């Protein structure tokens, strides 16, 4: 079911993108095919390079480190940008339909992980945008055995999709509550206790209901503390609702999947299960059913 | 099941409130009927107006913004109050039984979202009450496809209703615990460490057991920290109980619903399921069963 | 199943404690029988008195209130202590076996809710112990319809009993972890950052893993913050375990109960279900089965 | 299923390690066999000694206590180190294959709980490493009835094993999110509000998303607070995912186990159940099935 979504995310293009035999095909094997030994070795090296590069971007912002190792960070930056740029060009060169790769999820990520360094020559703050390279770490799913992960990512996704209406209902209710509480606390506590405006009150309500509780803004009047106590107990109860929703949907999807395995059943994203092997569309929502495995 | 409750909340009156053909019927179509294209367009505009209006109320309390844009906020306030007042009158005029609308959930909300501005002419603080307009945002359920949401809101509500006794038992136990802990910490820590009274101690106990943890009051004696550690581990375990309750009830309601779909079964709000299609009342609690779909 | 436990907690003695007809029986009806109109009226008045008395104890510790209303609090204290003492004596007088009542749960609670005031004549701090009266609020279950609550309290209890071994395994693991982390952070951060001893480090580890996070002690070195990040992510995952355990046990107990209702099945506290109506003991754990309803 | 893992953890070696009759066998009975009365008595004394020793290590770091009781702590340290050293030697002497014990989990733990005191003669900070003795507390499982605990530890472990891929998918997503958020907040808030580097921002993101919320670093700009609000609501929803995963797997493992008890079924670690009593390998993953009980 919806396997195509994951193919996009993980391998970034269809299997027909392999070019005809020749140096391009050779290059293609190394750069794109995870199942071959060469491809796997390349992916391992690439992942290590991305990790080092992301770490360098993070550590560069630590002042004492930067002051001591500024030239190291600078050369690392240019080296990795260069390497990633070369890799990007080779990928474009080796794939049969370069434009398709360039517009795929990983194509775009590969491009924008090179750009910040170049933009940084002109704009000072752009350097930190290199953190976007972290997205490239998602290639890790390709190196590890794919099947298991895909299957479980699908289960998680199907559960969240099935729960989407319940989550929207829940979120609208929470937002309403938070707006009201923010305004109420602004009136009760007032600017002298840190609740300087309604948006600040809303911020406090969110910090409290999610049980984060920084303590940068905390009620100080008696009435404010009584209301806050009520809000916390409420938040406590409310926290149970999304957990319950996700658990139930996850459980339903998981059970459907187990059932499918036994008989030739298939499940639709809407949660309906179908055991007529000739059916093509869901009886309930009309969407196309997944193919029989 | 219990569909009537939701009709009240969402469409605010029964379908028989449509007046006889004429300008009133035309107006009625625009103002109340979400399924027609005109009605949908009106609802979209209305929702946008409510959103802008609520945002204005929030941002007005931000001091630097108010000082710069005071006239803008004032005119926005009067404009929206005027618009909503006109809308309210038109609604009263177009519906067959105006009194019924005026006393319905949305009728009351529509009225009290106009009042604060007018009251604010005489009382200074009343302005902030305009935040109550946020309640009007619940009209959003009307614009989106209703069916799905209603169905899921019903499942959530049925789960909470079925869990009500367990939640009361749980809440009484938690309140008792919090009272005892508040008094204990007042005795152990005393006013010099911020626990200036038993209510303050209760406030601390709630802040701690819900894992919010502002840190505005924190134990400082060794004994106090030992007790606090116990309270936290307890709160950790206790947090699991409401989540478990909601999950189980949600799961039971969801499973009942799936079962109903397959055979001609119906479920009562109390969790009992009935497969005799001739039955009208629940065998267990005696409440009226929902009609067969 | 295990109904007797709850009778103890709620009605505090067996039905045979009713004395022979006469003034004592009359008094007994008022004081102990919740099903009669007189008994219910008395219970409502009593609960109100307990609530007011507990509130007075709490508010007395609020300094500004005490300074203004000291005489009021003092007279309230003596009035309620007097009333509760009279009530206690009447209960002793009206019940057939006074000693049995005196040693029951509510008998002890009734006594120790009078004592602190008297002890307070000699010892200054004893006053706050009056908060123990809050335990008397559990009589609320007697006023409300009992059946439903008992049933649900039983389900909650059975779930927690069934989960006891899993919870012990979990708790030993968490305690070990917390000890190690406390010592580690003491070594890494040291006294100059608030981690003044290993017990302090353990306190920090508990505050962090339960996601309370006061912020009174927080890591300040880089290594400390890296470790703390790991602890938080771990705590995040660990939080899921008790919730999962309680959910599953609650779900099993609930399902067993629904199944019992349909056929003449009974469930043991260990989770085993029995459908042979002639069985008296659990096949798995050998404990006595509940009677058929 | 996988019982061997637990034997390793709990009894530390196979039953064939009992030496031939003689003084060594006698010693073996006392030191290793929990089912005999002598063995149980020894284990109780040992656990008490470990508890006292761990407490002493903790309390020694509390400055006022150390200043008053320094000699007591020092003698306790040497006494316990001596005792544990003697115990370790006796264990080595009494077991049939000493090397096997020395390399087992508890053998290593027993050794490293003696070392720090000796190393502490030369290196100052090594003292605190004695906390590692806390690991010896896991012997508690041997003293208590083993069966129940092992069974439930197995259920917990099987649930976590079955959920491992889902948890990895979840963790990679969370880490990516945290990296992005840390960099974003570094750009938005900047060093003047405590976000002095990207790693600091990542630390903040973890503190916030796990709802710990120390408040040592908190957003102070409006934009920062808006982003933080989003992060908290997100974290709120995300918290539901691992809980849901663990609940579902725990529920599946528990149900499989109940089913196994009724008919002669067995479950594989992958979640597949097998009712053909002649099967030796899992139909789905090919791993060896547990033996029939």
């Amino acid at each position: 079911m919806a396997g195509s979504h994951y193919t996009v995310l993980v391998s970034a293009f269809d299997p027909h993108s392999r070019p005809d035999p020749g140096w391009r095909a050779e290059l293609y094997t190394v750069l794109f095919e995870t199942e071959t030994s060469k491809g796997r070795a390349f992916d391992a090296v690439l992942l290590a390079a991305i990790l080092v590069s992301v770490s360098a971007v993070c550590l560069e912002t630590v002042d004492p480190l930067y002051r001591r190792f500024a030239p190291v960070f600078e050369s690392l930056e240019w080296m990795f940008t260069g390497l990633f740029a070369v890799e990007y060009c080779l990928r474009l060169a080796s794939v049969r339909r370069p434009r398709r790769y360039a517009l795929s999820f990983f194509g775009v990520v590969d491009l924008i992980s090179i750009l910040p360094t170049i933009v940084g020559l002109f704009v000072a703050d752009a350097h930190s945008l290199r953190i976007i390279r972290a997205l490239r770490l998602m290639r890790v799913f390709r190196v590890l055995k794919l099947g298991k992960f895909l299957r479980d990512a699908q289960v998680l996704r199907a559960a969240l999709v099935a729960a989407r209406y319940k989550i929207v209902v829940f979120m609208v209710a929470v937002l309403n509550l938070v707006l009201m509480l923010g305004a109420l606390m602004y009136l009760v506590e007032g600017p002298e206790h840190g609740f300087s405006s309604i948006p600040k009150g809303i911020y406090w309500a969110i910090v409290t209901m999610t049980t984060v509780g920084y303590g940068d803004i905390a009620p100080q009047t008696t009435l404010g503390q009584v209301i806050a106590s009520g809000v916390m107990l409420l938040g406590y109860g409310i926290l149970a609702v999304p957990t319950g929703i996700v658990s139930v949907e996850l459980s339903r999807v998981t059970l459907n999947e187990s059932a499918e395995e036994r008989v030739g059943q298939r499940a639709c994203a809407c949660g309906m299960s179908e055991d007529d092997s000739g059916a093509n569309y869901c009886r309930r929502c009309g969407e196309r059913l997944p193919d029989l495995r």
Side-chain angles (χ1 to χ4, degrees), chain A residues 162-268:
Chain A
R164 66 187 178 284
Y165 290 112
K166 283 200 200 68
I167 288 172
V168 167
V169 167
F170 178 73
M171 271 318 204
V172 169
V174 165
L175 277 180
N176 249 298
L177 203 59
V178 156
L179 273 173
M180 299 288 155
L181 285 171
L184 185 64
M185 287 302 277
Y186 168 68
L187 289 178
V188 168
E189 290 278 330
E192 63 268 35
H193 296 134
F195 292 80
S196 59
S197 63
I198 292 183
K200 210 91 174 183
I202 294 169
Y203 171 69
W204 170 85
I206 291 174
V207 167
T208 300
M209 283 196 57
T210 55
T211 77
V212 170
Y214 286 134
D216 51 350
I217 314 175
Q220 277 154 49
T221 64
T222 308
L223 182 56
Q225 292 185 342
V226 170
I227 295 171
S229 298
V231 171
M232 287 171 219
L233 288 176
L234 204 72
Y236 205 66
I238 281 176
L239 197 66
V241 175
T243 309
I245 293 171
V246 172
S247 292
V248 168
E249 295 302 339
L250 211 50
S251 147
R252 196 150 63 158
V253 172
T254 312
L255 292 177
N256 274 348
E257 216 185 39
S258 316
E260 281 166 53
E261 257 150 45
R262 277 183 227 127
V263 295
Q265 263 189 346
R266 288 162 300 165
C268 178

Side-chain angles (χ1 to χ4, degrees), chain A residues 140-160:
Chain A
V140 77
F141 289 119
R142 300 187 59 195
V143 179
L144 300 164
K145 267 177 290 163
L146 264 184
K148 288 270 184 188
F149 287 99
L150 269 189
R151 201 192 167 78
D152 285 335
Q154 252 168 297
V155 168
L156 277 184
R157 187 177 154 277
L160 291 178

Side-chain angles (χ1 to χ4, degrees), chain A residues 13 19 72 75 86 91 109 116-117 122 138 140 144 180 199 206 220 267 278 292:
Chain A
F13 45 85
V72 178
S75 40
V86 169
R91 279 186 194 269
V109 166
T117 314
F122 313 103
M138 280 162 77
V140 77
L144 300 164
M180 299 288 155
I206 291 174
Q220 277 154 49
L292 266 172

Side-chain angles (χ1 to χ4, degrees), chain A residues 34-79:
Chain A
T34 349
E35 283 72 36
T36 63
S37 62
K38 275 182 192 169
R40 204 168 304 171
F42 175 77
D43 270 343
V45 170
L46 182 60
L47 272 179
I50 298 171
L51 260 181
V52 173
S53 147
V54 167
S55 305
V57 173
C58 287
L59 294 176
E60 194 185 316
T61 62
V62 182
D63 218 47
L65 287 179
Y66 185 73
R67 260 176 297 172
R68 269 187 67 187
F69 302 107
V72 178
F73 283 121
E74 214 140 305
S75 40
L76 274 179
E77 178 178 344
W78 283 105
M79 193 188 82

Side-chain angles (χ1 to χ4, degrees), chain A residues 259-260 263-268 272-284 287-293:
Chain A
E260 281 166 53
V263 295
Q265 263 189 346
R266 288 162 300 165
C268 178
M272 194 72 194
S273 75
E274 176 63 67
D275 41 15
D276 176 2
S277 60
N280 286 320
Y281 295 94
C282 175
R283 268 176 300 152
R284 187 154 86 185
E287 274 180 40
R288 200 172 168 86
L289 287 168
D291 295 330
L292 266 172
R293 270 176 270 193

